[in-house]
């Protein structure tokens, strides 16, 4: 399954990919000619959306990386559109793009969704390729809601219990409703609080959104019996 992962710096892309693949390793990167890109170049942030990212632990996945839509990054949006269109024209199914994961960090209210990201939802018709919005770092919203409840006089344990629900209500009312007003909203979304639950939910929602019966079962096939222990191990060894 071929996935385009889009996200700004510190959006949590690498953590999610490693958790999905049950590893802490750095991906092997190959350019469009199949030549391996040196790891030093990858670590320095050299990006080419055509490059393929492979994790040895999960050979069934091929990832492509877009650095995301920072303020004023019209050029990156055009690269993404061109990439989606070129992959749609591929005749071989394994060369086609199957899904897009758009990672958006939620830990900065003022710039949670950039104008360029909203432009993506307005202008980028992905056709049959489903977009899953992955909202990361929701725990920061929970912390803010917890403090609000405490300031209102709610006791500690009750505030802890109620904080995620309050954070979700605010997120849905202010942020999510805004996104779904645009022309090409995501087909689904997930909210990242715990990475283990995120992996299962992300693969389930991606599988449900795929457009052929054969593709719908791919994530289940890729998730072999050894993956859950490897997910736990990879999560324990890295910070989100």
């Amino acid at each position: 399954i071929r996935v385009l992962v889009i996200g700004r710096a510190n959006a949590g892309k690498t953590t999610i990919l490693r958790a999905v693949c049950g590893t802490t390793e750095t991906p092997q990167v190959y350019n469009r000619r199949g030549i391996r890109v040196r790891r030093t170049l990858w670590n320095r942030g050299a990006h080419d959306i055509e490059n393929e990212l492979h994790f040895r632990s999960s050979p069934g996945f091929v990832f492509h990386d877009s650095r995301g839509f920072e303020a004023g990054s019209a050029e990156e949006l055009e690269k993404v559109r061109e990439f989606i269109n070129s992959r749609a024209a591929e005749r071989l199914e394994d060369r086609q793009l199957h899904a897009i994961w758009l990672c958006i960090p939620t830990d900065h209210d003022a710039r949670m969704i950039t104008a360029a990201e909203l432009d993506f939802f307005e202008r980028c018709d992905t056709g049959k390729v489903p977009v899953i919005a992955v909202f990361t770092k929701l725990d920061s919203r929970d912390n803010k809601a917890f403090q609000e409840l405490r300031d209102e006089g709610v006791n500690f344990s009750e505030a802890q219990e109620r904080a995620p629900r309050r954070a979700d209500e605010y997120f849905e009312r202010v942020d999510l409703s805004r996104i779904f007003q645009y022309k090409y909203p995501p087909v689904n979304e997930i909210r990242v609080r715990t990475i283990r639950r995120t992996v299962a939910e992300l693969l389930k929602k991606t599988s449900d959104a795929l457009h052929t019966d054969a593709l719908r079962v791919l994530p289940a096939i890729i998730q072999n019996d050894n993956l859950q222990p490897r997910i736990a191990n990879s999560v324990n060894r890295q910070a989100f």
Side-chain angles (χ1 to χ4, degrees), residues 151-219:
D151 291 344
E152 294 167 10
V154 178
N155 67 52
F156 187 92
S157 59
E158 185 179 351
Q160 274 192 320
E161 181 180 349
R162 290 171 54 185
R165 184 169 67 252
R166 173 176 283 206
D168 277 340
E169 289 171 352
Y170 178 88
F171 173 75
E172 290 165 4
R173 183 176 67 254
V174 175
D175 299 311
L176 202 58
S177 62
R178 184 183 181 195
I179 290 173
F180 279 91
Q181 292 175 0
Y182 285 82
K183 190 173 182 180
Y184 302 110
V187 299
N188 218 324
E189 52 90 14
I190 68 170
R191 305 165 201 182
V192 180
R193 285 186 168 93
T194 61
I195 198 66
R196 290 182 184 87
R197 180 179 296 179
T198 295
V199 169
E201 186 179 1
L202 178 57
L203 291 176
K204 175 67 166 59
K205 290 186 175 181
T206 301
S207 180
D208 290 346
L210 296 175
H211 282 269
T212 70
D213 291 338
L215 286 175
R216 285 194 189 99
V217 301
L218 271 179

Side-chain angles (χ1 to χ4, degrees), residues 56-207:
R56 287 174 294 182
S57 58
S58 296
F61 279 110
V62 177
F63 297 107
H64 294 265
D65 179 27
S66 165
R67 70 187 68 193
F69 310 124
E70 302 284 356
S73 62
E75 181 181 352
E76 191 67 23
L77 177 58
E78 288 307 312
K79 287 181 182 178
V80 168
R81 293 178 66 183
E82 290 172 6
F83 177 77
I84 293 169
N85 290 336
S86 69
R87 290 290 167 171
E90 291 280 357
R91 292 191 174 186
L92 296 177
E93 191 164 278
D94 66 346
R95 296 289 301 166
Q96 295 172 5
L97 183 64
H98 301 127
I100 298 170
W101 297 343
L102 176 55
C103 300
I104 301 176
T106 64
D107 54 339
H108 297 292
D109 286 351
R111 62 183 295 269
M112 194 203 96
I113 306 173
T114 66
E117 285 163 345
L118 293 176
D119 201 27
F120 172 83
F121 292 126
E122 180 62 28
R123 296 175 51 206
C124 198
D125 181 2
T126 62
K128 293 183 178 181
V129 181
V131 177
I132 311 295
V134 183
F135 296 101
T136 63
K137 306 185 180 182
L138 257 294
D139 54 324
S140 66
R141 297 291 186 98
D142 294 347
N143 294 338
K144 181 179 178 181
F146 170 81
Q147 191 57 55
E148 290 174 354
L149 289 164
R150 291 289 287 153
D151 291 344
E152 294 167 10
V154 178
N155 67 52
F156 187 92
S157 59
E158 185 179 351
Q160 274 192 320
E161 181 180 349
R162 290 171 54 185
R165 184 169 67 252
R166 173 176 283 206
D168 277 340
E169 289 171 352
Y170 178 88
F171 173 75
E172 290 165 4
R173 183 176 67 254
V174 175
D175 299 311
L176 202 58
S177 62
R178 184 183 181 195
I179 290 173
F180 279 91
Q181 292 175 0
Y182 285 82
K183 190 173 182 180
Y184 302 110
V187 299
N188 218 324
E189 52 90 14
I190 68 170
R191 305 165 201 182
V192 180
R193 285 186 168 93
T194 61
I195 198 66
R196 290 182 184 87
R197 180 179 296 179
T198 295
V199 169
E201 186 179 1
L202 178 57
L203 291 176
K204 175 67 166 59
K205 290 186 175 181
T206 301
S207 180

